[in-house]
Amino acid sequence: MQDLRINEQRLWDTLMEMGEIGGTEKGGCNRLAGTDLDKQSRDIFVAWCKACGCEISIDKIGNIFARRPGLNNDLPAVGTGSHLDTQPTGGKFDGVFGVLSGVEVLRTLHENNIETPTPMEFSVWTNEEGSRFQPAMQGSGTYVGRFDLETELNKTDVNGIRLGDELARIGYLGDMELGSRNMGAFFEAHIEQGPILEDEKKAIGIVRLGQGIRWYNIEVVGRPSHSGTTPMHLRKDAMLAAAAIVTEMKAIADRHENGLGTVGFMQVWPNSRNTIPGNVKFSADLRNPRPDVLLTMHEELLAFAEKIAEEHGLDVNIDPFWYFAPVEFNASDDVKAATEKLGYSHMDIYAGAGHDACYMADLVPTGMIFTPCLNGISHNEAEYSSPEECAAGANVLLHTMLEASERIAKQHQA
Ligand SMILES: [Zn+2]
């Protein structure tokens, strides 16, 4: 078992074959959730899993589970999976690499007639990208109970088409209850989507945390007046106050290790060249892997907004409407053990983006395996990982799952 390795060429060919479904001219992928192309990618995944003797189940939000029996099928399975949907100008690897690494693990076990102590389960999660339907990670979030099923099935795309209708139309609105799989651990392999592994020349990132996120809607209420007749000291310029807060977002991020701060959306009223802005609405996004640090960043933003309101003599209203607590990946030691056994260079890392594994961590011990991607580019048609980089990630997934299966079997014996 120690010498067992996945087939690098077969994994690569499978990635390229999947990449043709919705393939774009620039070498990327456009495969939105619930479309005919999504159906094609799901169908081929199901066919590949069936060819290796898996039993297929589909739940009420369209997540697919392919189960390979083990020596004791009463034991909880070791699961892996990710998503097959992409951004409109997405790449061939984001999500797909995780799903197809799973398929490659399955094929490796199958062709070597390996009987694992527990069942192994290979999954595809519905609409991870949140591009056609919102929110992102919709399938996994609904599966673990973070979102209400009916609400999510009723979500519509820009043309008013319901997710539930699309899933039914493409044949993937199942009847299996949400959260009902007997799973003892879950692992997701994913490209890093950032530059750190490449920069540090490491083959594998052992993901310890998914970082925390705080989102805000901020409104500055000043007073609109003529830009040519209002002296500077008599103005209540909402834009100036907003600009100070935007700049402070970077200062807050810089003051804290691993801090990130972004303002990516802004509306100015009346948005006219010769009127002092009376009202500015904008978004704010603060992130940190540590909950205590993220709370401090949050408090600093609120305090700064209060100070600015006073200094500028206007109102600043902040609505902190969303908090995503940092996720701890409790099964990352299995990933580390497998990586060290295989002799790959590695480092601990945290996930900057959301992943299906972040929600699965609600239910079972979970781990993530990151692999490098060229120039850290993702959500882009130029997204690229080399065959060797992909193979390293899939080998770690294989041995992580074997490790976890042994561990679960032992725990249930004791
Ligand atoms: Zn992804």
Side-chain angles (χ1 to χ4, degrees):
M1 210 81 107
Q2 295 287 324
D3 300 328
L4 192 67
R5 295 293 181 276
I6 61 95
N7 182 328
E8 177 178 321
Q9 188 62 46
R10 183 173 57 194
L11 170 61
W12 186 255
D13 292 344
T14 307
L15 278 160
M16 294 307 109
E17 188 177 345
M18 186 62 87
E20 281 170 23
I21 303 173
T24 61
E25 258 172 44
K26 290 182 185 164
C29 253
N30 176 2
R31 203 166 51 232
L32 298 179
T35 58
D36 290 351
L37 294 170
D38 187 9
K39 173 184 167 56
Q40 277 181 47
S41 70
R42 287 164 173 263
D43 286 351
I44 195 168
F45 167 81
V46 166
W48 287 335
C49 292
K50 279 186 175 166
C52 292
C54 286
E55 189 192 311
I56 308 292
S57 308
I58 296 157
D59 75 11
K60 292 182 169 179
I61 190 85
N63 299 316
I64 308 171
F65 303 88
R67 192 178 177 90
R68 180 180 192 265
L71 284 168
N72 181 348
N73 292 307
D74 294 331
L75 291 180
V78 175
T80 187
S82 192
H83 58 98
L84 289 173
D85 69 311
T86 75
Q87 292 283 318
T89 54
K92 288 196 193 86
F93 299 88
D94 174 4
V96 185
F97 166 65
V99 173
L100 299 186
S101 292
V103 170
E104 182 52 40
V105 167
L106 169 62
R107 287 170 167 169
T108 304
L109 296 175
H110 186 69
E111 73 186 353
N112 290 287
N113 296 310
I114 289 168
E115 289 191 295
T116 52
T118 69
M120 298 291 204
E121 193 152 278
F122 305 88
S123 49
V124 172
W125 302 95
T126 295
N127 184 35
E128 192 276 345
E129 292 291 355
S131 184
R132 184 180 176 202
F133 302 97
Q134 286 82 45
M137 302 175 282
Q138 193 178 28
S140 50
T142 308
Y143 178 83
V144 305
R146 292 248 191 158
F147 311 135
D148 171 65
L149 175 64
E150 285 312 311
T151 308
E152 297 312 313
L153 291 175
N154 283 325
K155 293 274 177 77
T156 52
D157 70 3
V158 288
N159 298 312
I161 300 172
R162 281 178 73 247
L163 171 68
D165 291 339
E166 284 294 76
L167 287 173
R169 185 183 68 81
I170 66 170
Y172 284 91
L173 185 65
D175 53 13
M176 198 192 77
E177 287 304 325
L178 299 169
S180 68
R181 306 302 294 175
N182 183 16
M183 232 186 271
F186 181 80
F187 299 97
E188 180 173 2
H190 206 284
I191 58 167
E192 181 202 338
Q193 304 183 280
I196 296 168
L197 292 175
E198 193 177 56
D199 214 42
E200 303 276 332
K201 299 190 172 47
K202 303 290 187 203
I204 298 293
I206 296 155
V207 188
R208 295 285 176 181
L209 288 167
Q211 73 179 337
I213 307 170
R214 286 181 180 270
W215 276 2
Y216 308 84
N217 287 325
I218 304 181
E219 182 183 27
V220 182
V221 185
R223 187 178 58 209
S225 58
H226 199 294
S227 68
T229 59
T230 318
M232 293 307 279
H233 72 282
L234 292 178
R235 297 182 178 200
K236 291 186 179 189
D237 186 332
M239 178 57 93
L240 280 183
I245 296 170
V246 172
T247 308
E248 181 65 12
M249 288 287 288
K250 172 168 160 51
I252 292 171
D254 287 347
R255 276 199 294 275
H256 300 280
E257 195 182 2
N258 298 318
L260 298 171
T262 307
V263 173
F265 169 89
M266 186 172 273
Q267 283 176 322
V268 183
W269 183 85
N271 212 18
S272 168
R273 188 179 296 266
N274 53 355
T275 298
I276 295 158
N279 185 303
V280 177
K281 287 181 181 168
F282 58 102
S283 66
D285 171 325
L286 288 175
R287 302 190 188 213
N288 198 284
R290 282 181 46 187
D292 53 333
V293 176
L294 186 54
L295 181 63
T296 306
M297 293 169 72
H298 166 77
E299 285 164 350
E300 286 179 9
L301 174 62
L302 298 189
F304 185 82
E306 210 176 288
K307 189 181 99 162
I308 281 294
E310 216 175 278
E311 274 176 23
H312 290 245
L314 36 65
D315 291 324
V316 179
N317 306 317
I318 299 196
D319 177 15
F321 68 97
W322 188 56
Y323 172 52
F324 181 81
V327 176
E328 246 185 276
F329 291 118
N330 291 324
S332 42
D333 283 342
D334 287 333
V335 177
K336 188 170 186 182
T339 307
E340 289 187 336
K341 193 168 76 183
L342 293 166
Y344 292 119
S345 61
H346 63 85
M347 65 184 287
D348 284 1
I349 198 169
Y350 64 88
H355 296 287
D356 296 310
C358 296
Y359 282 145
M360 280 305 283
D362 281 4
L363 298 188
V364 290
T366 295
M368 285 196 80
I369 301 157
F370 273 1
T371 59
C373 59
L374 187 66
N375 300 321
I377 291 172
S378 182
H379 282 196
N380 186 309
E381 289 161 283
E383 188 179 272
Y384 181 78
S385 260
S386 72
E388 306 78 59
E389 288 167 336
C390 292
N395 273 320
V396 171
L397 179 65
L398 169 66
H399 283 275
T400 299
M401 292 181 74
L402 290 171
E403 193 100 15
S405 183
E406 296 275 348
R407 179 173 52 75
I408 289 169
K410 267 193 206 121
Q411 280 165 357
H412 280 259
Q413 257 168 23

